[in-house]
Each structure stands twice: as structure tokens, then as C-alpha cells.
Amino acid sequence: MTCVLAIDIGGTKLAAALVDEAGSMLRSATRPTPRTEVMSALAGLIAEVMNGGPLPEAAGIGCAGPLDLATGTVSPVNMPSWRGFPLREEVRKLTGLPTVLAGDAQCFALGEHWLGAGRGSTSLLGIVVSTGIGGGLVIDGAPLLGPTGNAGHVGHMSIDPNGERCECGGRGCVERYSSGPNLARWALEHGWSPHEDPTDPTGNSAGSGRAVSGTEAMDGQAEGADGRAGDASLRAEGASGKAGDAGLGAGTTVKHNGEKADARALARDAAAGDPVAVAAFERGARALAGMIASTAAAAEVTTVVIGGGVSAAGKVLFEPLERALDDVAGLAFVRAVQVRQSTLGVHASLAGAANLAWLAITANG
Ligand SMILES: [Zn+2]
């Protein structure tokens, strides 16, 4: 049984799996990302999936950015203890395996291309819309990483050069319009007040913690018994729209009238017809449409797969996005772009990390 070691490193959780050539997870495990000593937590996680399992041929890592592929170092925004951290070399030393590294959103795109909503596409843009907006390109089956590994950073494409200042220092970035916290921010500024959550038995959704429990439940299932889960398919595991749901609440702790005023609440209210919530998603979708049309024009992208917490909003995001694209896009090949919702959910980046390792094995003969 040949397999690779896939590793997904995010600000809230670490995941690792042994994945075969067909995309089945032979073993997997996750744990929360600690504030410090991240490498020792990662070493423990890797030992958990490798000990007693088949020996992998290579390791693929997807890590939150920014990163520098020239040096193999990472400096994830949400992990202050790692600045210029030599992740690729540390994992190579730890495992003795040939090790490849890419951004987590690049791995998302690669995973969706391999096993998910982007299968068979010749030119794919993957977008993760959550607390921020990340992206990755897969051209002719290969990831387009760029010289330092930052290609596909579509969240900071300017869709309005006269627009608002972005946290990155730029102006008019799509993230400023369409990320979860920015959707909620705009809605609050325009008079939105979250409605009471009808699904919350306490009558008060604030502080319920459900924003992260969705992810944990999914991971708990995927993990199986101590990572010994037999033959769990990456394809099937995350197929629920709920998978990406976790990020909807991420990044905002704003409360309004006792209700959590985040993108999850905004999506619920938009679905119920709240006019400001609907307008917030229409505005965010229009910004995404501008970015998608621009990227399609530049790289002849044929397929766009959108994941991340905000994508779980479903039709309140995707319907205005289709309408906006119809308005924004002109040239026939740009108008032809297909926009799809992620089907792998929380497992997309892990699948992409596995695919990255398989591609490296193939490339090295
Ligand atoms: Zn920006």
C-alpha cells in the first residue's frame, strides 16, 4: 500500500492523514493549534498517523500564509509564534520524507481539482471566503504557486482603486467587501440588527460556541478511533455543506442586542428576507464577481470553486453572484466561467496537500 502524508496547518487546527493515490484516507487525526510549541504538537500529530501505518513516500503540507517557498518558511498571520519558521525543513527532518509545501488556499484549489467540485477542469480558481479571502490557481492540473508561493492571492485583488483602505495596506481589495467579518460590518453600519436565532433553544445565540463545534464534529468523525479510521474517502467525508459552516462565525465576536452579529447570522437573516442582510450579500457577491471576471480574463479560468465558511450561506451568496457575473463579465470566454460550491468542505486543503505530494513523486519519476 503506497501512500503520502498530508498535513494541513491552520490557525485553529492541525490535521494530518495518510492518503493513497485514489484519495482515500487510510489514517487521519486532528488537534487544536496551540498558541505556542506548534511544532511539538505537529510532531505528536504526525507520529499519531504514521506509527503503525504504511510508510508514506512523501509529505505534502498546506499552511496558512504568508509563506516563502524559496526558503520553505512560513509566517502565518494567526500563529504569531511562527515567523519565518522553516516548516518544510522541520517536517523533512522529522519524517525523513521528501517534503513539499504550499499555501492552504492553494491546497484548497488543488484538493477541489483532484477530488471535488473542480474535477476535470483545465483552469481552476479556488477561493476560500471566510475570516479573510484566500485563493489558488490550478492550471493544466498543476498548481500555479509563483516564485515565492503567493500566486492566487485573489483576496487582495483591488476591485475598486478608489475604494476603502484594506488591512493589507492596499485599497479596494475584494476582502474588504466580501469576507465574513466585512459582510457583517457593512450590514451593521447600514442598520442591520441580527434577528433572534430560531434554532437556538436558549433564545440567545451569542456565545453558544457553535461556530467551531461544526468543524470539531466533522473532524471527530473523520478521525475515527485514534486515527485508525479505515479507508475514509476524502471525497465523501466533507461533502456536506455544513462542513464549511464553521468559518461563518469566525473572526467576529461582535454582539448586537444579545445576538451574535456575524456572517452566519447575516446569512440566516438574508435567507429570511431581511433587506439589509440581502443587500450585504449582494454587495459582497458583486465584489467577488469583479474579482472572478478579472481572474478569468487574465488566466482563462474555466471553473471557480468557492469554499470557506461564507460559502455555506448557499444561495443567498451564489444567486446574486451569478447575476453579478452576468452583468460584470463581457467576453465570451469570461462569461463561460462556471462557479461551483466546494464539495470537500473542511477536507479540501488536506486533499490538496496529499495531491501536492503525489504530484511531486510523479515529477521526480
Ligand atoms: Zn488587501
Side-chain angles (χ1 to χ4, degrees), residues 155-157 166-176:
H156 297 283
M157 278 174 64
C166 175
E167 278 180 57
C168 75
R171 189 179 286 285
C173 298
V174 64
E175 181 171 301
R176 184 71 188 165

Side-chain angles (χ1 to χ4, degrees), residues 68-143:
D68 185 346
L69 286 192
T71 56
T73 56
V74 300
S75 308
V77 174
N78 294 325
M79 296 165 62
S81 68
W82 277 8
R83 285 294 170 267
F85 183 77
L87 178 63
R88 189 172 56 201
E89 182 59 17
E90 289 287 327
V91 171
R92 195 194 60 76
K93 275 196 302 194
L94 186 73
T95 61
L97 300 171
T99 301
V100 280
L101 170 69
D104 54 356
Q106 292 167 333
C107 284
F108 166 85
L110 205 48
E112 289 289 344
H113 181 270
W114 187 32
L115 301 170
R119 258 179 294 172
S121 60
T122 49
S123 188
L124 171 89
L125 169 65
I127 310 170
V128 180
V129 188
S130 183
T131 307
I133 297 181
L137 289 156
V138 183
I139 309 294
D140 295 329

Side-chain angles (χ1 to χ4, degrees), residues 142-161:
L144 181 74
L145 301 178
T148 65
N150 289 296
H153 231 106
V154 292
H156 297 283
M157 278 174 64
S158 180
I159 48 99
D160 182 359

